[in-house]
């Protein structure tokens, strides 16, 4: 029986770009140069500083872009956060089980945030939008990985769900994981 994590895991329905936390996790793509969904919202509300920082990453250690399952931090620009942690989720596949890659997104984003000293981290439901991952499975994977991996200095992990369906699936997953 693993000792219960000292990290509070919370759920909120809302817009991740309006959260006041230390680190906001972005559901990016490998180009790191923006997109739709969460990615578009973060760049829109966070401002050009974030894209400029992403461009610097592409011009240096991420010349080929960010691989699926990896995570890297930049400034949060105008967002009420200290950092954005960009991670690239796997695209849903009917024929290939890419769960390990989705787990890696949560694990690596937590590692990067913890290394920066973040105490509060907001996650979207990675891969469950444009990348087509079923919400129930995406929620179970997210909750299982965060409960297993989140550790000090992180004190709160907040899942920010964009709609009632997502919130319901995360609530189910969190209740099941805790019983
Ligand atoms: N706040 C919180 N959640 C949001 C927001 C927001 N502002 N906007 C969208 N979401 C939700 C979606 O409803 C979905 O449940 O975030 C989840 C992830 O959806 P996407 O943002 O589409 O991310 P993903 O499925 O991982 O696809 C990534 O989409 O935006 C592009 O550049 C991105 O190519 C990448 C791909």
């Amino acid at each position: 029986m693993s000792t219960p994590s000292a990290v509070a895991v919370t759920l909120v329905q809302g817009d991740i770009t309006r959260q006041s936390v230390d680190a906001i996790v972005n559901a990016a793509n490998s180009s790191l140069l923006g997109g739709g969904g969460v990615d578009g919202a973060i760049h829109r509300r966070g401002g050009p500083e974030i894209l400029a920082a992403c461009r610097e990453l592409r011009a240096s250690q991420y010349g080929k872009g960010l691989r699926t399952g990896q995570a890297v931090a930049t400034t949060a620009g105008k967002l009420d956060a200290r950092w954005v942690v960009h991670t690239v989720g796997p695209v849903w596949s009917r024929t290939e089980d890419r769960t390990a890659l989705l787990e890696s997104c949560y694990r690596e984003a937590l590692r990067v945030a913890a290394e920066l000293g973040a105490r509060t981290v907001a996650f979207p439901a990675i891969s469950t939008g444009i990348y087509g991952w079923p919400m129930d499975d995406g929620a179970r994977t997210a909750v299982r990985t965060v409960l297993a991996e989140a550790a000090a200095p992180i004190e709160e992990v907040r899942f920010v769900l964009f709609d009632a369906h997502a919130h319901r699936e995360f609530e189910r997953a969190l209740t099941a994981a805790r019983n």
Side-chain angles (χ1 to χ4, degrees):
M1 169 70 177
S2 64
T3 49
S5 163
V7 177
V9 177
T10 59
L11 306 179
V12 64
Q13 187 173 329
D15 180 342
I16 199 165
T17 66
R18 294 185 178 280
Q19 301 303 310
S20 302
V21 289
D22 289 335
I24 291 177
V25 178
N26 181 22
N29 61 57
S30 55
S31 78
L32 283 176
L33 301 178
V38 169
D39 204 2
I42 283 176
H43 283 283
R44 218 174 10 260
R45 187 176 291 277
E49 256 185 279
I50 301 177
L51 187 57
C54 288
R55 285 214 170 95
E56 276 171 40
L57 290 170
R58 286 299 310 273
S60 53
Q61 67 261 56
Y62 290 93
K64 292 191 175 57
L66 192 63
R67 284 204 318 275
T68 301
Q70 278 189 316
V72 68
T74 65
T75 172
K78 297 188 180 67
L79 298 175
D80 192 3
R82 296 173 67 188
W83 304 283
V84 170
V85 177
H86 307 264
T87 188
V88 181
V91 175
W92 168 251
S93 162
R94 287 184 187 293
T95 54
E96 186 191 341
D97 179 1
R98 297 172 176 167
T99 303
L101 285 170
L102 187 56
E103 290 168 347
S104 176
C105 287
Y106 290 99
R107 185 183 316 112
E108 286 302 296
L110 286 169
R111 181 183 58 76
V112 169
E115 278 173 8
L116 289 165
R119 289 182 304 109
T120 53
V121 183
F123 275 99
I126 299 167
S127 287
T128 64
I130 292 166
Y131 282 178
W133 205 280
M135 188 60 76
D136 58 344
D137 188 79
R140 282 193 296 272
T141 301
V143 164
R144 183 182 64 243
T145 309
V146 162
L147 286 176
E149 302 285 345
I154 296 172
E155 295 166 1
E156 179 197 357
V157 171
R158 186 182 310 169
F159 287 110
V160 184
L161 294 325
F162 210 39
D163 55 41
H165 167 57
H167 190 274
R168 199 167 43 251
E169 291 302 339
F170 269 75
E171 211 157 35
R172 277 204 191 119
L174 197 51
T175 306
R178 282 175 170 156
N179 293 340

